[in-house]
Amino acid sequence: MIVATLGPEGNNHVLVLGRYLEARGLAGAEMKFYDDFPTAFAALVAGEVDRVLQCTAHFSHADCVGRYMHRVFPVDVFVAGSHPLVLLAQRDLATPRQVARQPATRYYTDLSGFAEEIDAPTTVAVAEGLLEGRFEAGICARQTLEAHPDQLRLVEELGPALDVWVLYGTEPLSDAHPLVV
């Protein structure tokens, strides 16, 4: 079995996919990583992968569900925690004016003290922007601070987000399946 999700390794999708495969007794399954979900779903429809794992909080979730309706079907669903999240700022900025966040994280804490909020597609993109100096502050995984304490400082611990995850396949569940109501 080949199960696809977003890469690169080390991101939240890879973490959760590993947990899922282990919990479902599928530790021998191959993981394949894509840069975006439309490409992963196209690979599923083309038979290049057997399953796609997507978090419902991902910005492309509704688009993928609509685009692949009647060709791709939810076959499993579960709740999983993310990497612990934090609000970080550039170490040398006492009062950052802008904050970057993935749209799903915009209400995880009060951001009203920032003059500008910047949308980023993922928390990984927020971390990359912080490290490249494009963002003054942002919400991303705690591991970013742990890897770069000389460049970033902690503003607030947010903890892991509990999200709903869906595994998709190309055959619908039967009406008798326990997930179908």
Side-chain angles (χ1 to χ4, degrees):
M1 176 181 291
I2 303 172
V3 184
T5 195
L6 292 189
E9 289 194 51
N11 80 11
N12 201 49
H13 290 82
V14 177
L15 170 78
V16 172
L17 177 55
R19 287 182 190 162
Y20 173 83
L21 293 174
E22 184 177 332
R24 296 295 194 262
L26 301 168
E30 180 183 340
M31 291 190 262
K32 189 165 184 179
F33 307 117
Y34 289 89
D35 292 333
D36 59 71
F37 278 115
T39 304
F41 276 83
L44 178 61
V45 170
E48 297 167 13
V49 299
D50 301 300
R51 300 282 189 267
V52 171
L53 179 66
Q54 186 179 43
C55 181
T56 62
H58 194 273
F59 69 91
S60 69
H61 177 72
D63 184 56
C64 289
V65 169
R67 181 179 293 170
Y68 292 98
M69 187 173 174
H70 303 301
R71 294 181 292 155
V72 170
F73 306 91
V75 296
D76 202 357
V77 62
F78 60 95
V79 174
S82 68
H83 284 290
L85 298 171
V86 291
L87 175 58
L88 301 178
Q90 296 292 337
R91 180 163 286 292
D92 59 351
L93 287 175
T95 309
R97 294 183 26 78
Q98 53 151 246
V99 61
R101 79 291 191 282
Q102 192 264 0
T105 68
R106 70 184 167 271
Y107 301 116
Y108 286 10
T109 189
D110 180 9
L111 300 176
S112 64
F114 295 94
E116 178 185 11
E117 291 185 33
I118 300 169
D119 281 339
T122 63
T123 57
V124 172
V126 171
E128 291 168 348
L130 283 167
L131 296 173
E132 293 166 2
R134 291 184 287 115
F135 303 143
E136 295 177 6
I139 296 175
C140 60
R142 187 174 216 305
Q143 65 195 21
T144 307
L145 174 62
E146 294 164 357
H148 303 279
D150 55 322
Q151 185 178 350
L152 304 170
R153 65 179 172 82
L154 178 67
V155 176
E156 184 180 353
E157 291 273 0
L158 303 174
L162 286 177
D163 292 312
V164 176
W165 294 78
V166 180
L167 190 73
Y168 292 93
T170 56
E171 295 293 324
L173 297 173
S174 73
D175 289 342
H177 193 283
L179 290 177
V180 177
V181 293

